[in-house]
Amino acid sequence: SKMAPVKVFGSAAFTNVAHVLVCLEEVGADYEVVNIDFLAKEHKKPEHLARNPFGEIPAFQDGDLVLFESRAIAKYILRKYRTGEVDMLRESNPEEAATADVWAEVEAHQYSKAVAPIVYECIVYPTAYGIPTNQKVVDESVEKLKEVLEIYEGRLSKHEYLAGSFISVADLNHFPFTFRFMETPYASVFDSFPSVKAWWEKLLLRPSVKKISADMQKRV
């Protein structure tokens, strides 16, 4: 009998939800997106708090299992639906898995910390909340991002992907915020880092990324 589709609570317009959806597309799993109405504060209602006690999105349901935190959900999906063709965690090879983990951590603690404030200040705050861009925050984050990209350039000039010759969870984790960043006036920052830009353009060609990119264009 066919398994019931997994459920993702949230909309692809949100980077953290898009992160989960791109992993589901990579593995070819059946899924259903259950929209959460932010304006109606649906994410703070008891029904959603039962799924994510922090009242954030996404939440994820697979049968009786309910998860939150997009990076953890991503790993669950890539682990559960792993095949010979789609093996993004490399858990059968401790060295490869560790390298993927290192660059996944770099994304969480270095890259996102530089990129996210630019996305929030240039796109999210002005469009969703009518809050003007804080240029000081943007300028500081752009400088920080350039320093991070310098390190990525060194890595990606020697390796096709962040963890080596194979695509991994580390690369996929960069997709949603980078996609949004490219909608800001600072997209050209990447032009100074040719190996990073080539890596990003290769990610954009993946069918999973093409599909979820299109869904991200449909605004909240």
Side-chain angles (χ1 to χ4, degrees):
S1 70
K2 205 162 181 301
M3 308 254 302
V6 298
K7 288 182 179 172
V8 180
F9 298 85
S11 135
F14 294 92
T15 48
N16 291 343
V17 180
H19 183 185
V20 169
L21 298 179
V22 86
C23 293
L24 287 164
E25 287 290 337
E26 280 287 340
V27 299
D30 279 336
Y31 65 92
E32 176 193 342
V33 178
V34 181
N35 202 37
I36 298 290
D37 188 339
F38 248 62
L39 292 174
K41 296 232 184 308
E42 210 181 323
H43 55 303
K44 301 296 185 189
K45 303 245 163 85
E47 199 184 345
H48 188 69
L49 291 171
R51 300 179 203 114
N52 183 337
F54 294 98
E56 293 168 353
I57 56 170
F60 174 88
Q61 188 174 0
D62 183 1
D64 294 334
L65 178 72
V66 178
L67 300 173
F68 56 96
E69 289 296 341
S70 60
R71 290 182 179 89
I73 299 167
K75 287 180 83 169
Y76 170 76
I77 292 163
L78 296 174
R79 186 179 293 126
K80 176 170 179 172
Y81 298 100
R82 179 179 72 87
T83 62
E85 291 77 62
V86 186
D87 182 6
M88 301 264 182
L89 300 177
R90 310 299 262 215
E91 283 174 340
S92 59
N93 181 319
E95 289 83 2
E96 289 182 354
T99 310
D101 281 348
V102 166
W103 287 96
E105 291 293 320
V106 170
E107 186 277 329
H109 302 293
Q110 306 287 345
Y111 186 86
S112 279
K113 294 249 179 1
V115 166
I118 303 167
V119 170
Y120 281 111
E121 291 292 346
C122 293
I123 298 175
V124 181
Y125 297 154
T127 56
Y129 302 103
I131 299 168
T133 300
N134 180 332
Q135 197 56 45
K136 183 174 184 290
V137 170
V138 172
D139 293 344
E140 287 169 359
S141 298
V142 168
E143 286 315 304
K144 187 176 176 188
L145 178 60
K146 287 176 182 170
E147 291 171 15
V148 171
L149 290 178
E150 196 72 60
I151 292 163
Y152 276 61
E153 184 65 21
R155 177 73 184 168
L156 291 166
S157 65
K158 296 185 191 75
H159 303 276
E160 191 179 356
Y161 295 102
L162 287 168
S165 59
F166 55 91
I167 187 161
S168 75
V169 62
D171 304 288
L172 277 193
N173 285 6
H174 287 75
F175 155 63
F177 264 116
T178 308
F179 185 77
R180 280 280 179 256
F181 173 80
M182 293 302 181
E183 299 177 335
T184 73
Y186 300 93
S188 62
V189 164
F190 271 60
D191 294 346
S192 309
F193 304 97
S195 302
V196 181
K197 194 168 185 188
W199 163 80
W200 173 243
E201 285 171 352
K202 193 161 42 189
L203 285 183
L204 285 178
L205 295 174
R206 298 185 76 76
S208 63
V209 170
K210 281 185 176 168
K211 181 177 191 309
I212 303 305
S213 300
D215 293 345
M216 287 177 81
Q217 301 289 36
K218 302 168 192 150
R219 283 286 183 240
V220 187

